Amino acid sequence: MHKPASDNAQDIHSSGLKATWPRIRILRLFQQTTQRHLSAEDVYRSLLADGEEIGLATIYRVLTQFEQARLLTRHYFESGKAVYELNEGQHHDHLVCMMCGRVEEFCDPEIERLQQQIAERRGFELREHALSLYGVCSNPACQAKARAESRG
Amino acid sequence: MHKPASDNAQDIHSSGLKATWPRIRILRLFQQTTQRHLSAEDVYRSLLADGEEIGLATIYRVLTQFEQARLLTRHYFESGKAVYELNEGQHHDHLVCMMCGRVEEFCDPEIERLQQQIAERRGFELREHALSLYGVCSNPACQAKARAESRG
DNA sequence: GTAGCTGCAAATACTTTGCATAGAT
DNA sequence: ATCTATGCAAAGTATTTGCAGCTAC
């Protein structure tokens, strides 16, 4: 049985999940989109725009399963709603623009080391962490918006 | 007009809010409780247990106002629901036990400095940040629970 | 063939809002 | 007296679940 080079069905299958069409499409979306961080609603609308009508309930279920299978990771970003991103093994943190919502990623080994040290010193066995920086990005539109808000 | 030494009505009043009974009780709860981080529901139940029946809607409104007035700060802690804590001016980050939910606070100037540096380097004007470490605390019950879970 | 998956609709959890009444200054 | 706050109930968003039919293996 031959499979296309970029077939993600294997990734799904090796997580103990059946390689169904909705799952293949959802995973592919994360692999191909330029917008790395997507909410359930974002996924629903993206697929719909692509001609795939997949029920929201299914999307929520699949995102949860993918997170448990460590294909995706989940974040909250102070927004009260979850966003997911492709888990590519390498840990990283986030820098979020409060004006346009753009998210950049970074990883600072020194910060990682200090975190580990802090946890140890307090008798915690560190399992994971979330560091998000919020600010205003270099886009002039964002800076203008920020000024307008502070006047507001 | 005299007021008791620890009267928090002033704090409320100087934020442009009327010093009403619900507000006084809610702020006092944060000032006196040992559990620093409370959700709206937590506040509702604490006050109820104390004989104060204050509507949930009011609690949500007051928490939002207090946050805007910078008397409280809000966090999400990856839980999908907001928790608030007293804002005592000094910034700090959080260390959360994934087993018992206990939250410790810490502040590491070196991490703060590195964050600032990372934001600058990418042209972001840093406004705020959230760093939460998740792990298992030193309580033996938590460690046992962690082992049980990993056995699945 | 069968265990596991999907869609739908209903349920749940958290939070916000409209409106009439009550309260603070 | 006036402007604001509260309580209730209803609406809104985000997410989960029960169930009957469909699909991958």
Side-chain angles (χ1 to χ4, degrees):
Chain A
M1 199 60 79
H2 302 290
K3 20 190 161 43
S6 72
D7 191 352
N8 57 30
Q10 313 160 51
D11 301 328
I12 296 170
H13 208 205
S14 60
S15 306
L17 298 169
K18 287 182 179 170
T20 61
W21 190 236
R23 284 179 182 151
I24 291 170
R25 289 310 308 261
I26 291 171
L27 185 52
R28 191 193 294 169
L29 173 61
F30 278 95
Q31 291 168 334
Q32 300 185 338
T33 189
T34 56
Q35 186 193 345
R36 237 185 112 72
H37 301 84
L38 301 166
S39 66
E41 189 73 29
D42 292 337
V43 170
Y44 178 75
R45 282 208 280 262
S46 274
L47 292 176
L48 199 57
D50 241 28
E52 298 291 347
E53 168 101 49
I54 295 176
L56 242 188
T58 298
I59 293 175
Y60 274 105
R61 273 186 291 235
V62 171
L63 291 176
T64 303
Q65 292 159 342
F66 281 0
E67 194 213 351
Q68 283 164 356
R70 299 180 182 280
L71 292 170
L72 298 179
T73 54
R74 185 180 53 183
H75 306 282
Y76 279 94
F77 294 151
E78 301 291 293
S79 62
K81 79 186 206 182
V83 297
Y84 292 81
E85 75 174 309
L86 200 57
N87 179 5
E88 300 179 302
Q90 221 220 313
H91 167 78
H92 57 260
D93 295 305
H94 297 96
L95 188 48
V96 183
C97 176
M98 296 167 88
M99 300 301 139
C100 64
R102 193 161 63 84
V103 180
E104 288 193 18
E105 302 180 345
F106 68 89
C107 185
D108 186 304
E110 181 63 8
I111 289 183
E112 305 282 317
R113 195 181 63 73
L114 291 166
Q115 288 177 356
Q116 183 60 48
Q117 198 178 89
I118 288 163
E120 264 171 35
R121 210 180 280 151
R122 293 166 179 256
F124 270 67
E125 182 199 320
L126 192 58
R127 289 284 181 84
E128 50 187 277
H129 70 262
L131 169 57
S132 298
L133 307 182
Y134 299 91
V136 183
C137 77
S138 53
N139 182 332
C142 293
Q143 310 214 348
K145 198 171 159 200
R147 277 192 301 276
E149 277 185 18
S150 69
R151 262 186 261 110
Chain B
M1 199 58 79
H2 302 291
K3 21 190 159 43
S6 73
D7 191 352
N8 57 31
Q10 314 160 51
D11 301 329
I12 296 170
H13 207 211
S14 60
S15 306
L17 299 168
K18 288 182 179 169
T20 62
W21 190 237
R23 285 179 182 150
I24 291 170
R25 288 309 308 260
I26 292 172
L27 185 52
R28 191 194 293 169
L29 174 61
F30 279 95
Q31 291 168 333
Q32 300 185 338
T33 189
T34 56
Q35 187 194 344
R36 237 186 111 72
H37 302 83
L38 301 167
S39 67
E41 189 73 27
D42 292 337
V43 171
Y44 178 74
R45 281 208 283 261
S46 275
L47 293 177
L48 199 57
D50 241 27
E52 299 291 347
E53 169 101 51
I54 295 176
L56 242 188
T58 298
I59 293 175
Y60 274 105
R61 272 186 291 233
V62 171
L63 291 176
T64 303
Q65 292 158 343
F66 281 0
E67 195 212 350
Q68 285 163 356
R70 298 180 184 280
L71 292 169
L72 299 178
T73 55
R74 186 180 52 183
H75 306 282
Y76 278 95
F77 293 151
E78 301 290 292
S79 63
K81 80 186 206 183
V83 297
Y84 292 82
E85 74 174 310
L86 200 57
N87 179 3
E88 299 179 300
Q90 219 219 315
H91 166 78
H92 58 260
D93 294 307
H94 296 97
L95 187 49
V96 183
C97 176
M98 297 168 87
M99 300 302 138
C100 65
R102 193 161 62 85
V103 180
E104 290 193 18
E105 303 181 343
F106 68 90
C107 185
D108 186 304
E110 182 63 8
I111 290 183
E112 305 283 317
R113 196 181 61 74
L114 290 166
Q115 288 177 356
Q116 183 60 48
Q117 197 178 88
I118 288 163
E120 263 170 35
R121 210 181 279 150
R122 292 164 181 257
F124 270 67
E125 182 201 320
L126 192 56
R127 288 284 181 84
E128 51 186 277
H129 69 263
L131 168 57
S132 298
L133 307 183
Y134 299 91
V136 183
C137 77
S138 52
N139 182 333
C142 293
Q143 309 214 348
K145 197 171 160 200
R147 276 193 301 277
E149 277 185 20
S150 71
R151 263 186 259 111

